[in-house]
Amino acid sequence: MNSLNTDSLGRWLDTQDIAPGEPVEASYISGGTSNDIFAITRGDRRLVLRKPPEKVPPGRNETMLREYRVLNALNGTDVPHPEAVAVCDDTDVLGSCFYLMGYVDGWSPMSSDGWPEPFRSDLSLRPQLAYQLVEGIARLGNVDWRAQGLEGLGKPEGFHDRQVDRWLAHLAKFQFREIPGLDAAAAWLREHRPSHWEPGIIHGDYQFANVMFQHGTPARLAALVDFEMSTVGDPLLDLGWVLMGWPDADEDRTQKGYVDYTGMPDRADLLEHYAKVSGRDVSEMDYYVILARFKMAVVLEGGYARHVKGDGGNPKMAYYGKAVLDMAAQAAELAATTRL
């Protein structure tokens, strides 16, 4: 049952001077194997609470604190995000660490069946959704992370030197089958590390599922959300994450992913917009797309391995089996054909 001890939460909110003395109302928004999210109302304050599931996975409390640290560092920047309000590291309050963020008045591409109107019927409005998507990470990557107190969040030195070995070591913990193409992609990545790059904040799982848009037109980002995998490294990996499944101009755009890409810009247009906003060199983008596909194959294989073993709580993990093979094959194919 997804519920909160609102009495305990209320006492803690009093210590934070958040509408002290007012009754606390909590309603469940979403959650599952990752994190639980609740809408919180107290007096005239509308907040959102994010916490691990009731059975807290190892390391998840630390991840909560890390997420909040990133969110708090974005306060005062030009990156659209939920305002960081308060964080609690006392697990006696709700059984885990948690944090509160401001309520975002907007819509998520995951909250409706297809694009909402007018983006559903007017294809001329859709390109701005894509340009806003990449603009979010362009701005995120340009935040002065040292000035915002994120020194030590990640290890940018040697970031690309570690990627292949790190993810292969992670795969070794649960690998139970061969994944054709993964070794070829790994070998190519080792030989083609970027010659120059500038560290910045990485979201880590950047896609339409993890942004919110403002109501109305034209499309405008309301917030980047879910900083669970955020770190300091090479921000171009976030762009590779967006582009790794983006359809080519001649592909069927209606069945490419969980959103309808019909009317969306081509990859080249997105690259140009990102480069204009960020000022970063995108000439080696194939490397980042290959790395993103390589990493995604490993991440999804972890979920599929849990499903095969009978430990997976999400039935959708059954579909990861083919997705892993496709992603690894696509990584190897691009590695074999790119001109980098």
Side-chain angles (χ1 to χ4, degrees):
M1 180 178 180
N2 300 106
S3 61
L4 288 178
N5 184 335
T6 53
D7 291 337
S8 181
L9 177 60
R11 290 191 292 271
W12 182 82
L13 290 173
D14 286 345
T15 69
Q16 305 298 306
D17 198 29
I18 298 176
E22 296 284 351
V24 177
E25 297 181 13
S27 59
Y28 182 70
I29 297 176
S30 65
T33 59
S34 183
N35 294 294
D36 289 336
I37 304 174
F38 295 84
I40 305 294
T41 303
R42 194 181 206 205
D44 59 357
R45 297 292 300 272
R46 297 180 71 187
L47 304 168
V48 174
L49 185 148
R50 185 170 165 92
K51 64 181 291 294
E54 187 172 346
K55 185 177 180 180
V56 183
R60 191 60 58 83
N61 281 321
E62 292 75 12
T63 299
M64 281 290 106
L65 303 179
R66 181 186 179 91
E67 279 188 53
Y68 184 82
R69 183 184 175 190
V70 174
L71 205 61
N72 191 51
L74 296 180
N75 282 352
T77 71
D78 66 352
V79 179
H81 68 284
E83 176 194 7
V85 176
V87 63
C88 179
D89 60 2
D90 182 358
T91 58
D92 289 338
V93 178
L94 294 180
S96 67
C97 296
F98 64 90
Y99 66 83
L100 288 159
M101 52 188 164
Y103 172 81
V104 176
D105 185 15
W107 60 271
S108 164
M110 302 301 291
S111 62
S112 60
D113 181 19
W115 297 115
E117 291 293 355
F119 302 101
R120 182 191 299 267
S121 57
D122 190 344
L123 296 184
S124 70
L125 297 174
R126 290 191 187 177
Q128 188 64 12
L129 292 166
Y131 290 132
Q132 283 288 292
L133 179 71
V134 299
E135 190 166 316
I137 44 172
R139 297 188 183 282
L140 178 68
N142 280 354
V143 169
D144 188 338
W145 52 278
R146 292 187 179 91
Q148 294 301 112
L150 293 182
E151 191 80 52
L153 178 73
K155 298 178 181 178
E157 300 81 6
F159 177 81
H160 289 291
D161 298 336
R162 297 189 303 269
Q163 291 304 299
V164 171
D165 290 338
R166 175 190 176 187
W167 289 105
L168 287 181
H170 181 64
L171 176 65
K173 297 175 183 177
F174 49 77
Q175 186 172 14
F176 68 97
R177 62 173 179 164
E178 290 297 316
I179 305 176
L182 205 64
D183 288 342
W188 186 94
L189 288 167
R190 286 195 175 101
E191 294 296 321
H192 295 83
R193 292 189 290 270
S195 54
H196 177 74
W197 60 279
E198 292 293 332
I201 303 173
I202 302 176
H203 180 278
D205 187 19
Y206 198 71
Q207 53 182 307
F208 274 120
N210 286 328
V211 298
M212 295 181 68
F213 289 93
Q214 297 177 21
H215 296 294
T217 58
R220 288 288 182 269
L221 276 182
L224 280 62
V225 297
D226 191 356
F227 287 87
E228 185 174 348
M229 298 179 70
S230 186
T231 189
V232 173
D234 189 339
L236 285 174
L237 182 54
D238 273 342
L239 183 58
W241 206 257
V242 171
L243 295 180
M244 68 175 164
W246 203 272
D248 285 323
D250 57 351
E251 287 186 87
D252 177 5
R253 294 183 164 222
T254 61
Q255 304 296 323
K256 188 64 178 177
Y258 58 83
V259 297
D260 181 0
Y261 288 89
T262 305
M264 290 291 182
D266 293 336
R267 295 175 186 172
D269 297 320
L270 293 182
L271 281 172
E272 181 180 356
H273 188 72
Y274 177 92
K276 179 180 178 180
V277 176
S278 69
R280 293 179 184 269
D281 180 5
V282 297
S283 61
E284 297 181 290
M285 186 47 57
D286 278 357
Y287 167 88
Y288 296 92
V289 172
I290 294 167
L291 177 57
R293 290 173 175 172
F294 171 84
K295 178 180 173 182
M296 177 63 88
V298 173
V299 171
L300 293 183
E301 184 71 356
Y304 184 61
R306 290 194 297 274
H307 168 76
V308 171
K309 191 178 178 181
D311 295 338
N314 189 339
K316 292 182 179 180
M317 290 181 179
Y319 298 101
Y320 290 178
K322 183 177 183 300
V324 168
L325 300 180
D326 290 344
M327 196 62 66
Q330 290 169 16
E333 180 183 2
L334 183 54
T337 57
T338 182
R339 296 181 179 180
L340 286 186

